[in-house]
Amino acid sequence: MTPEADSTIAPPEAFPGVARATASYLAKLGLTRPFDLILHLPLRYEDETRIVAIAEARHGVLAQVEGVVFDSEVRFRPRRQLIAHLRDDSGELAVRLLNFYPSQQKQLAPGARVRLVGEIRQGFFGAEMVHPRIRTVRAGAALPERLTPVYPTTAGLSQLALRAGVGVTLGTAELAETLPATVIERLGLAGFDASVRLLHDPPADVALEALEARTHPAWQRIKFDELLAQQLSMRLHRQRRAAARALALPGAETLASRLLDNLPFSLTSAQQRVLAEIRNDLARPQPMQRLLQGDVGSGKTIVAALAALCAIAADRQVAVMAPTEILAEQHYAKFRQWLEPLGIAVAWLTGSQPARARKAALAAAQSGAAAVVVGTHALFQEHVVFGRLALAVVDEQHRFGVRQRLALRLKGANGDELSHQLMMSATPIPRTLAMSFYADLDVSTIDELPPGRTPVETKLVSETRREDVIRRVRDACADGSQAYWVCPLIEESEQLQLKTAIDTHAVLTATLPGMNVGLVHGRLSGAEKAAVMAAFKAGEISLLVATTVIEVGVDVPNATLMVIEHAERMGLSQLHQLRGRVGRGVGESACILLYQQPLSLIARERLKIIYENSDGFEIAREDLRLRGPGELLGARQSGVPMLRFADLIADARLLETARDVATDMLEHYPDHASRHVERWLGGRDELLRV
Ligand code: ADP
Ligand code: MG
């Protein structure tokens, strides 16, 4: 199942009428059907409809001039270049080409009449154009009446060839309207066919600014159609899912109240609410696909454990999957602590465990002896077989690809019954994303932290004041608190990152005599990591030096101080996750972000956002603004077709309209709806179909 691979191979025959040579380049641009080429819209336009007198052309502005060459020579100083001079009735202009072909030299031979498009500037030789676009013309040759589109292209494919290809395709295309007339009328939308043709070939008097800012009605129509296609496809997918079957899991009242009685806390009302939503889904004979989102520390794990009881009470199994070994290990510890007293067996499965333990875990999963199996992505590998899986819990879901999640769900397939899926995330999805890419998921949100949490004070401290920070760590630990020291992320080299962590550990150990300084990083074995984390949790280690492996899920309430080195290198959600490791107990907590000057603009902005905001939703929203949706979604692995034209923030209103129209169309105009999806997505929403 590799839809990306498929979509890159398009035989030239896919584009009837387009020159073979051109067609073979189109695949490189990701274009596989004539409609893709039709939607390959210009980046900008050049105005060749007017000629400006040389004397009147404004400097620094793109203009077209026409004149006759009266002088042309190749100079060798300071380097080889072609310099030609031309004049019109108003003045003279130099043309300078630093790289040129003999054909261009011929084009600029004395006596030639040429039109040049470029920016005039004051150069060494007076007014000049450097590397303008040059076209040889006859005297009095007609000017084009339309603007000239400039397309995104790829090396080897000229604008001229691309323009010709688009022209041929548009010429034979029948772009029937896919929206019902009533919708077009109600929303005052421009026609689709007219919009596309205008964007490829605008008349000279078009509102060029609106065109380039993509606010022109023609652009609005394209964006609307794109958003609508996405909404429809998500909705259709959801309908198909509603038709799929799963085992209905009625409540587990007895088990649940026994678990709750054993807890040292009671659920917040937000936890109770989301649990009710989840139980409601589980009780239905359709597979649940619910995203449980809640800020770092909001208490998602206990909700997942209570949901697990519904499957266990029905004598079925639950798989709990986490993206890192440390996090999986913590879940394992929690699930055991909560479930074993109820007589429920919990097994542990990772890639790094010894063969014998692994074999035992595999056997327990297959026989059903383990009601709960906790692990990393090892859980959905092929040889793992679940005897009676009914619920898969996936923590930090955005770190797994769609395919991995799917694989785990299919493991639970029992005949035509699928397992239920509960996904969890501490990176809340901003509203516009939830409405678009996650429109096929049900979302539950824990919008309240457990009582007794103290807000974390965030400090931005320059690297030059490192000594002060070390002193602060010493004081905090002397008072019986614990601290984290997070080493910088070094993306280019894991080796270097490891070395930095080891060095930092050595330096801090030497600087803080009498203090027990621990070290945890990605290269430790699962057992080693677990041992360090256990010692930290037990208070035997006061200061834990760590790489970003502790980013998610670590839970030590006595840790009240976090130092993050080179905070300027980290992303917003990463910083938020790290900071969420403190402020979990009753003590006052602080997070110190050490940064090194000079700060890039974006780093400065990120640090400002994290400094000013403690709310994960707000931070995720800002993150979306800074980075675009791709990163947030884990685009490369999400398998979801990305938006090409619409922008989730700028076009949020259009998105809401598209959502409403999608509902209307599915109900009243199902044929229009399927034609629209077919036009925009072709076969490309394959992954969403399962
Ligand atoms: P996250 O949502 O980030 O995964 P966890 O599930 O790890 O958060 O919970 C964070 C901590 O809060 C854990 O120690 C958990 O036992 C505790 N906790 C969860 N719910 C409550 C509650 N209602 N009251 C007090 N503590 C709670
Ligand atoms: Mg968690």
Side-chain angles (χ1 to χ4, degrees), residues 8 17 36 52 110 126 162 236 239 245 272 282 308 463 481 494 506 520 534 648:
T8 57
D36 296 337
V52 182
L162 197 46
L236 289 168
Q239 283 179 4
R245 300 192 42 77
Q272 286 171 18
L282 292 176
E463 168 69 32
S481 274
E494 199 196 334
V520 63
L648 284 183

Side-chain angles (χ1 to χ4, degrees), residues 42-50 62-64 116-118 132-133 135 144 146-150 159 163 202 204 208 212:
L43 286 172
R44 57 190 175 85
Y45 302 90
E46 285 177 357
D47 188 352
E48 294 175 24
T49 64
R50 284 174 303 147
L62 203 71
Q64 176 170 242
L116 308 177
V117 178
R133 205 139 43 70
R135 192 187 300 230
R146 329 279 299 180
L147 298 183
T148 309
V150 180
Q159 288 292 332
R163 235 175 276 152
L208 187 57
E212 301 208 318

Side-chain angles (χ1 to χ4, degrees), residues 284-439:
R284 292 159 16 102
Q286 278 88 40
M288 168 173 83
Q289 269 215 69
R290 190 170 280 277
L291 174 67
L292 173 57
Q293 58 178 15
D295 210 342
V296 180
S298 60
K300 296 182 289 293
T301 321
I302 186 67
V303 173
L306 285 157
L309 292 181
C310 296
I312 297 163
D315 199 24
R316 295 293 166 127
Q317 289 173 292
V318 181
V320 180
M321 181 165 78
T324 68
E325 206 142 295
I326 288 195
L327 184 52
E329 179 88 41
Q330 297 229 348
H331 284 332
Y332 179 52
K334 283 234 160 98
F335 273 79
R336 281 181 70 185
Q337 179 197 333
W338 289 330
L339 301 186
E340 283 183 353
L342 311 182
I344 297 167
V346 182
W348 168 241
L349 189 74
T350 68
S352 70
Q353 72 195 136
R356 256 184 56 204
R358 187 174 167 72
K359 227 171 136 190
L362 286 171
Q366 181 154 23
S367 70
V372 179
V373 184
V374 183
T376 55
H377 54 275
L379 278 187
F380 52 73
Q381 281 160 8
E382 255 154 51
H383 54 274
V384 183
V385 180
F386 287 91
R388 299 195 303 274
L389 188 67
L391 170 66
V393 177
V394 183
D395 200 7
E396 297 301 326
Q397 58 88 24
H398 57 286
R399 298 203 165 193
F400 293 100
V402 168
R403 251 162 251 137
Q404 296 171 314
R405 266 144 42 192
L406 198 61
L408 185 59
R409 195 148 63 97
L410 292 178
K411 276 202 181 304
N414 184 356
D416 60 351
E417 272 182 3
L418 293 177
S419 56
H420 298 280
Q421 238 186 34
L422 177 64
M423 288 153 278
M424 304 200 283
S425 176
T427 304
I429 302 165
R431 199 176 117 72
T432 45
L433 265 189
M435 265 168 53
S436 49
F437 293 105
Y438 286 90

Side-chain angles (χ1 to χ4, degrees), residues 11-30:
E13 311 80 82
F15 298 95
V18 174
R20 267 191 98 79
T22 303
S24 63
Y25 279 110
L26 295 178
K28 280 198 184 163
L29 291 168

